[in-house]
Structures are given as structure tokens and as C-alpha cells.
Amino acid sequence: MQGLFITFEGGEGAGKSTQIARLSEYLRAHGEDVLVTREPGGTPGAEAARHVILSGAAESLGPAMEAILFAAARNDHVEQVIRPALQSGRTVLCDRYIDSSRVYQGVTGNLDPQLMHAIERTAINGLMPDLTIILDLPAEIGLQRANVRRGTDVADRFEKETVDLHAKRREAYLGIAKEEPKRCKVVAADRPIDAISAEIAAYVDEVRALRKTTPAAEVVK
Ligand SMILES: Nc1ncnc2c1ncn2[C@@H]1O[C@H](COP(=O)(O)OP(=O)(O)OP(=O)(O)O)[C@@H](O)[C@H]1O
Ligand SMILES: [Mg+2]
């Protein structure tokens, strides 16, 4: 049976890495074979693209170029890692996926929605997440957390951006959740870690229970 594909979204410092670690522990304790991966990255080709994007080298080339770089990385990651893992029955937890592109490049990069849509379709080739957890946090708190964690290291190009921009992205994530309420669950991230992971585990259990009652033909991508 095809594994579950769960993606984590939200701004910097929202708690994605923390909650992915929690959920993978929870699922492994229930005997599931879990693969944790992240975007941009996850394969040697995609990690190379990640380096180009996050170092700022692609910034001067413009948002379309950047979006296409992300998509190239994503397609490699999907076909080399995510799809094969799901097909062999593993649960895949992915740190950022299509919604990050929609929000970061689509909304704040002012790209043509039709171009964004075409790029997304090419990148994922039908592989939509079964569940997307959107960790929702006021921008100021996320930036504070990212700063504390970073200590004296230099900020990457996304972390240097303003609180205003982060607030716009937050709204964009909430907009996606409104449009796709079945796939996307918004989880308030400004709470104790345990409370958040309990809520996420409940959503995952719900999807797993649904999956057990759905004929296999409907879940094969
Ligand atoms: N619920 C929480 N309450 C307080 N602090 C938290 C909470 N969850 C995570 N943190 C802390 O906030 C910081 C950022 O968390 P984390 O790395 O999980 O976020 P992230 O979404 O993965 O960030 P990034 O997008 O930068 O990778 C870490 O120092 C983490 O320990
Ligand atoms: Mg992280």
C-alpha cells in the first residue's frame, strides 16, 4: 500500500524541524517506516540547487529563474526520493514543498500565476501531499526564534527580509489553507511543543484512519 505523504510548511522558526522530529518519533513508535526529507534539497542534484538558491547567487537572476531552480530541484527530489519511498509503503515527512514555492515565489516574488502553476505541475507531476501541516506563527516571533537559534552565524537570504514580508507570507499560507482545507491543516505554533505535536499527531491519525477505509485504487498516484 502506498505510504502517506505529509508536508510541513510555515515561516522561518515556526517549528517545522522540531515537529517533524516529533512526528517521526511518534510514527516510528507505531511501527511505521518513516523517511524525513527537506526542500530545497534531498538529492545531490537538489542540494546543489539549494546551495545556489540560499547563498543568494540566484537572487540577481530574478524570481522566475529562482522559481525554476526550485522546481528543478523539486522534480529531482520527487522522482528520485519521494515517489519511490511512497511506492514502497514508507511514510514521507517533507520539510517544505509546493506551498513554500506558492508563498515565497508566487506571492512575494510577483510571478505570473499561470507560470507558477505550470512550474508546479512540471515539478511534482501529480504528487500532491496527503496532508500539509501549516505551522502558523506571528512573524516577529518566528524571526526571534530564528535569530536565537542562529546565534552569531550570518543570516541566509530569506532570513534577512523584513517582518512585513513575513507577515504577508503568513497571510498567503492561511489563504492556501482556506482554499484547500482538506489537505491543509493550520496549527497555531505559538504554544508549547507538546501541545503542537499532539494536535499534529491527531491530524495524521485521522488521515491514516481514512486511508484504511479508502480503496487502494483511489490512493495510487
Ligand atoms: N513551540 C515552540 N515554542 C518555543 N520555541 C520553539 C517551539 N518550537 C520550536 N522552537 C524553537 O524555535 C527555534 C526554531 O524551531 P525550528 O528549527 O523547529 O523551526 P523551523 O520552522 O524548522 O525553522 P527554519 O524554517 O528556519 O528551518 C528552535 O530553536 C526551536 O527549539
Ligand atoms: Mg527547519
Side-chain angles (χ1 to χ4, degrees), residues 88 111 132 139:
S88 67
L111 281 180
T132 296

Side-chain angles (χ1 to χ4, degrees), residues 16-17 95 149:
K16 299 179 293 299
S17 302
D95 192 333
R149 185 193 43 188

